[in-house]
Amino acid sequence: MFMTISTTGTQERPATDLGFLLHKHPGRKQTFSTSHGTAHVVYPEATAERCTAALLLEVDPVALVRRGKGKGRGGSPDAALSQYVNDRPYAASSLLAVALSTVFKSALHGVCNARPERAAEPLPLRIEVPALPARGGVALVEKLFAPLGWSTVEAVPVALDTQFPEWGDSRYVQLVLEGELRLADALRHLYVLLPVLDDAKHYWVSPDEVDKLLRAGEGWLPQHPEQKLITSRYLSRRWGLTRQATERLELARLADADDITVEEIDNAVAEETETEERPTPLSVQRREAILAALRGAGAGRVLDLGCGQGQLVQAMLKDVKFTEIVGVDVSVRALTIASRRLKLDRMGERQAERVSLLQGSLTYTDKRLAGYDAAVLSEVIEHLDLPRLPALEYAVFGSARPRTVVVTTPNVEYNVRWEALPAGHVRHGDHRFEWTRQEFRDWAGTVAERHGYGVEFVPVGPDDPEVGPPTQMAVFTMTEKPGTEKPSAEKTSKDKTSAENVKEAKVA
Ligand code: SAH
């Protein structure tokens, strides 16, 4: 089986730089022994204008079986024969992916000391894989590669036998990818997607495959529309591993930490400060309502869960009654902006002792959040997919258990009063849902009852007689004495993994 990687260039920026990027000299044929056969790297062409590297892998299918690694392909009536006579020597599969990652290891990581600038920049690339087993066919090949920035994704089905067109197509396609991409990104796409399309792995999938997947998928897998399919197939449908990977990818997506520059942060902070000086009544009113509820509850040590860019934390710092303020958010980007806004690095020691920012996800129980007077969830719950909400509910009301919990969320009924909002739209692109007053009351009532809290509702903003206020707020107060539920909550988080807690919260 083989694949080729080509690029084009000029006298000043020769295509043969590909040799530096792959760490393989274009003038030499090189051979490597991998765990399942011999890999060769040769250059069918190498000029300043055009350079092509070919990776060939010779697999011995009988040796594959003898080593006990051919398992997992049995089960069909011809399994006994297919163990020995199979497509593995010819089809681009996980074997080729492994060879790719072994032979082009540095390139896969984007490391090139000789031409670092070329490794970091997109190159005109053309990749050909002449026999790619594609379960899911041409349509799936396109769905997998097209979102990754390839300008051409061409998958042509290979006929079973050109002499007998009526037999139809085989499950193999001839793949051509073209586009301006960094070589490392291109190789990482192939490393993950070849075995995904083949939908079979030649080796036992162990837990460290999750790390490999996340490393190779960095920067593209968290946003990929077919992420579920990729993850599940890459991990050979091992459910536990797939779930682990999905949760970590979700965190990566939310944290969105890689694309931020100091300048961007400064601009964002400057922009927000400006908009804050203009009257932005609702957000200010909301903050005032939350502060009033916290003061009313006599809270000193307060968690701001989903603190975002730290506006509420900043407001609390101005009131000495709030002796300890902890902002928590899943987004590193938001926390970085919050930290700039608060000028954490230039703060006097006394002030600094009162405030801290933590990164964490509210859908997992977190021991750091136990023992506070109050917690605020300001405009946060609607950012979670509804099925994840019970997990947050358990983490906050079941595990952290502050005496007071203040929750605000939009009242969807009020949306008809926003002139700029087209009918049927939510207020913010990332809102996964917006509730009516009744829906919010139902949810809050159930949560309160389940976890031993009482709950009161407070309108925020103009309370329209027909549709109610723009923001709805619930103030939960613990009714069961602290300690009555605590031991069991502590036991739960100690004895079980947070994933199990999540399940339990869902079942409860
Ligand atoms: N509380 C702020 C920000 C609201 S925006 C305010 O009232 O202005 C919602 C915030 O919740 C975002 O900063 C987002 O990163 C955070 N968030 C969303 N899902 C989260 C999760 N699972 N864990 C922690 N924070 C989360």
Side-chain angles (χ1 to χ4, degrees):
M1 74 184 82
F2 76 102
M3 57 172 280
T4 57
I5 307 168
S6 309
T7 188
T8 52
T10 59
Q11 288 303 330
E12 296 75 46
R13 297 161 67 76
T16 43
D17 279 352
L18 184 63
F20 286 110
L21 299 181
L22 292 173
H23 297 244
K24 302 287 171 280
H25 195 286
R28 282 204 297 269
K29 169 188 175 303
Q30 295 180 63
T31 299
F32 307 84
S33 143
T34 79
S35 42
H36 298 99
T38 310
H40 306 273
V41 178
V42 293
Y43 286 78
E45 53 185 339
T47 65
E49 289 72 35
R50 240 189 106 74
C51 183
T52 297
L55 171 65
L56 282 81
L57 181 63
E58 285 182 294
V59 176
D60 177 352
V62 177
L64 203 61
V65 176
R66 294 225 172 104
R67 295 183 44 171
K69 303 278 169 99
K71 286 185 193 133
R73 305 199 54 75
S76 63
D78 58 351
L81 180 61
S82 71
Q83 282 202 346
Y84 293 96
V85 183
N86 59 45
D87 69 352
R88 297 296 90 180
Y90 316 105
S93 65
S94 59
L95 292 166
L96 186 62
V98 170
L100 184 99
S101 72
T102 315
V103 174
F104 297 139
K105 191 169 183 182
S106 304
L108 199 82
H109 291 121
V111 175
C112 179
N113 294 333
R115 296 283 185 281
E117 72 291 349
R118 302 226 58 192
E121 69 189 7
L123 308 176
L125 290 177
R126 178 181 167 94
I127 296 205
E128 290 186 48
V129 186
L132 171 65
R135 187 181 296 260
V138 169
L140 185 62
V141 176
E142 282 166 1
K143 268 197 204 155
L144 293 184
F145 284 102
L148 298 177
W150 293 98
S151 50
T152 305
V153 179
E154 196 184 277
V156 180
V158 176
L160 267 178
D161 191 324
T162 43
Q163 299 277 303
F164 300 98
E166 66 276 16
W167 289 1
D169 293 327
S170 66
R171 70 181 182 103
Y172 304 90
V173 302
Q174 211 177 338
L175 176 70
V176 177
L177 299 170
E178 279 179 353
E180 296 256 340
L181 276 89
R182 289 192 328 142
L183 180 65
D185 292 334
L187 295 177
R188 291 187 303 127
H189 297 165
L190 292 167
Y191 173 71
V192 174
L193 296 179
L194 292 184
V196 163
L197 281 162
D198 184 30
D199 202 14
K201 278 208 170 168
H202 64 280
Y203 54 88
W204 171 245
V205 171
S206 57
D208 69 342
E209 289 286 294
V210 175
D211 292 327
K212 284 189 207 158
L213 174 65
L214 293 184
R215 244 178 283 133
E218 207 182 304
W220 61 271
L221 188 52
Q223 298 84 25
H224 199 294
E226 295 297 331
Q227 185 207 98
K228 276 211 180 84
L229 177 140
I230 296 170
T231 309
S232 154
R233 281 196 184 187
Y234 186 89
L235 298 168
S236 296
R237 296 191 173 73
R238 287 193 60 191
W239 184 79
L241 297 183
T242 305
R243 193 187 52 182
Q244 229 183 70
T246 308
E247 276 167 3
R248 285 171 59 186
L249 284 165
E250 175 69 1
L251 269 183
R253 188 181 69 76
L254 287 168
D256 179 36
D258 50 357
D259 59 351
I260 190 153
T261 65
V262 173
E263 232 166 89
E264 262 180 84
I265 298 170
D266 281 338
N267 290 343
V269 174
E271 236 170 67
E272 294 233 348
T273 322
E274 274 165 31
T275 46
E276 250 171 18
E277 274 156 16
R278 279 188 263 128
T280 46
L282 187 57
S283 61
V284 174
Q285 286 182 62
R286 190 160 47 225
R287 219 169 299 145
E288 288 307 320
I290 293 168
L291 291 170
L294 292 173
R295 290 183 186 119
R301 304 178 60 235
V302 182
L303 298 166
D304 183 6
L305 304 176
C307 63
Q309 304 179 359
Q311 292 94 330
L312 180 65
V313 172
Q314 190 175 36
M316 283 196 271
L317 267 174
K318 294 195 181 119
D319 184 340
V320 291
K321 286 207 198 72
F322 298 114
T323 51
E324 192 181 335
I325 307 151
V326 180
V328 181
D329 206 287
V330 77
S331 157
V332 172
R333 183 190 178 103
L335 291 174
T336 311
I337 296 174
S339 154
R340 291 242 159 179
R341 174 194 302 283
L342 300 169
K343 304 193 174 64
L344 275 190
D345 50 340
R346 277 167 279 164
M347 206 175 249
E349 208 173 304
R350 271 234 189 122
Q351 275 302 68
E353 272 173 9
R354 287 173 63 208
V355 59
S356 49
L357 298 176
L358 303 178
Q359 199 225 345
S361 171
L362 300 169
T363 49
Y364 296 89
T365 56
D366 188 337
K367 287 198 185 113
R368 298 174 299 177
L369 308 186
Y372 284 83
D373 297 333
V376 178
L377 286 158
S378 163
E379 308 295 287
V380 172
I381 58 172
E382 65 275 10
H383 289 266
L384 268 79
D385 287 323
L386 266 177
R388 304 290 293 155
L389 196 55
L392 171 138
E393 192 186 307
Y394 181 77
V396 175
F397 294 89
S399 170
R401 286 190 76 67
R403 235 179 32 235
T404 304
V405 183
V406 181
V407 180
T408 75
T409 195
N411 162 22
V412 72
E413 296 167 81
Y414 193 89
N415 286 2
V416 294
R417 295 283 185 271
W418 296 119
E419 279 159 21
L421 201 66
H425 280 241
V426 293
R427 294 177 200 178
H428 185 287
D430 193 44
H431 285 183
R432 308 300 163 90
F433 60 88
E434 285 179 352
W435 275 336
T436 62
R437 284 167 292 174
Q438 193 56 49
E439 285 168 323
F440 184 50
R441 276 162 193 268
D442 289 348
W443 172 78
T446 313
V447 171
E449 196 178 80
R450 188 178 294 153
H451 296 285
Y453 284 77
V455 60
E456 282 176 15
F457 299 92
V458 184
V460 180
D463 196 357
D464 186 283
E466 237 176 278
V467 296
T471 294
Q472 33 189 354
M473 181 163 93
V475 182
F476 297 80
T477 310
M478 196 189 281
T479 49
E480 281 168 20
K481 278 195 204 92
T484 45
E485 212 192 279
K486 231 180 173 178
S488 77
E490 267 167 18
K491 185 166 162 262
T492 321
S493 54
K494 207 184 323 160
D495 294 349
K496 295 181 181 173
T497 66
S498 36
E500 279 169 329
N501 284 339
V502 170
K503 231 189 319 179
E504 175 169 298
K506 276 184 186 154
V507 172

